[in-house]
Amino acid sequence: MIINSPAIVVHSLRYAESDLIVTLFTRTSGLRSYLVRGVLKSKRGKLRASLFQPLTILEIQAFHKDKGTLERIKEAKVLTVYKTLYADPVKSGLVFFISEMIKNSIQEEEENKALYEFLESSLIWLDTNTTIGNFHITFLTKLTQYLGFYPDISHIQLPYFNMLEGGFQSISSTYCVEGEHITQFKKFLGTTFEACMNIRLSKSVRSDILTMLLVYFELHLHGFRKPKSLSVLNEIFN
């Protein structure tokens, strides 16, 4: 089957001398992996290695066998040209962190237009805005909505956040956390990227929120692994 779809580059891995195995999150078919032959040596072909930088937004034409094997890309072109995402050192650090989070969080090989549109709009927002200190917190919080474990805010006034149940409660129990970072985390729930950038956080509180969110992902996603780029991200924001 031939598909035409926007797609976001999640990960690429060198294979043999000149090939790449590329993982894309497509609008029409979810997460798919492709074998791109000869791309590391080709200078004049339709497919170039530069197309497959992390989080590049592409328009692809591909052959899908839908048998759980590597698919094949026939054509690809950049759909959205970023202005700052790869040039700004802070944003570049976020690129590697976000791509790892997507790779470690999303497994579905089926259409999910809402999730695709969230990812695409988030990346464009990051590229076009300058106040981005809380972007990774906001992105991860909003991502839980599309993965099925967004926190229940019906009792948001209560002090303890139960990470296993995904809700707030009045007394502590296993997997409950409280403190200044939870008080501040509540401000990220049910609001926009723009509003979240105005939340003032100390370095330690921002770090504590991120640590809590990664544990939250671990509890709700089977096989989830913390991103290797976390240490780089912590250096950027600390």
Side-chain angles (χ1 to χ4, degrees), residues 172-189:
S172 182
S173 61
T174 305
Y175 298 111
C176 277
V177 287
E178 65 164 339
E180 177 62 18
H181 66 299
I182 298 303
T183 300
Q184 296 298 326
F185 172 62
K186 292 177 180 181
K187 298 177 182 179
F188 288 86
L189 299 173

Side-chain angles (χ1 to χ4, degrees), residues 29 32 34 77 108 122 134 154 176:
S29 308
R32 295 297 178 109
Y34 302 85
K77 63 180 181 180
E108 58 192 63
S122 298
N134 293 332
S154 56
C176 277

Side-chain angles (χ1 to χ4, degrees), residues 30-93:
L31 196 72
R32 295 297 178 109
S33 292
Y34 302 85
L35 178 59
V36 188
R37 292 193 179 279
V39 70
L40 296 177
K41 288 188 176 180
S42 175
K43 295 182 179 180
R44 296 183 179 180
K46 292 182 179 180
L47 299 177
R48 304 180 308 278
S50 59
L51 289 170
F52 302 108
Q53 295 183 77
L55 304 186
T56 301
I57 302 173
L58 300 173
E59 179 74 37
I60 67 166
Q61 184 178 89
F63 296 101
H64 283 187
K65 294 182 179 179
D66 296 325
K67 294 182 179 180
T69 57
L70 294 172
E71 312 290 9
R72 185 161 65 90
I73 297 175
K74 181 181 179 183
E75 296 182 6
K77 63 180 181 180
V78 175
L79 187 61
T80 299
V81 178
Y82 294 132
K83 297 179 180 178
T84 66
L85 210 58
Y86 302 127
D88 183 295
V90 174
K91 291 183 180 182
S92 294

Side-chain angles (χ1 to χ4, degrees), residues 8 25-27 30-31 102 105-108 110-122 139 142-147:
I8 296 169
F25 187 75
T26 71
R27 191 174 190 271
L31 196 72
I102 295 172
S105 301
I106 300 173
Q107 303 297 330
E108 58 192 63
E110 57 188 33
E111 181 181 83
N112 189 333
K113 290 182 179 178
L115 175 55
Y116 176 85
E117 288 168 3
F118 163 71
L119 296 176
E120 182 181 79
S121 63
S122 298
F139 176 82
K142 291 183 177 296
L143 180 59
T144 64
Q145 183 175 353
Y146 298 90
L147 299 179

Side-chain angles (χ1 to χ4, degrees), residues 8-11 23 25 31 54-55 93-108 115 118-119 123 135-144 147 149 209-231 233:
I8 296 169
V9 178
V10 176
H11 180 70
T23 303
F25 187 75
L31 196 72
L55 304 186
L94 284 167
V95 163
F96 288 105
F97 176 77
I98 293 166
S99 63
E100 271 199 274
M101 285 299 302
I102 295 172
K103 177 177 178 287
N104 295 348
S105 301
I106 300 173
Q107 303 297 330
E108 58 192 63
L115 175 55
F118 163 71
L119 296 176
L123 296 174
F135 178 85
H136 53 306
I137 303 296
T138 311
F139 176 82
L140 295 186
T141 302
K142 291 183 177 296
L143 180 59
T144 64
L147 299 179
F149 53 97
I209 295 174
L210 179 58
T211 298
M212 181 274 295
L213 278 169
L214 293 176
V215 173
Y216 190 47
F217 272 70
E218 283 185 295
L219 288 171
H220 290 270
L221 295 175
H222 178 71
F224 174 81
R225 302 185 309 277
K226 291 181 181 179
K228 296 178 181 178
S229 56
L230 179 61
S231 59
L233 193 72

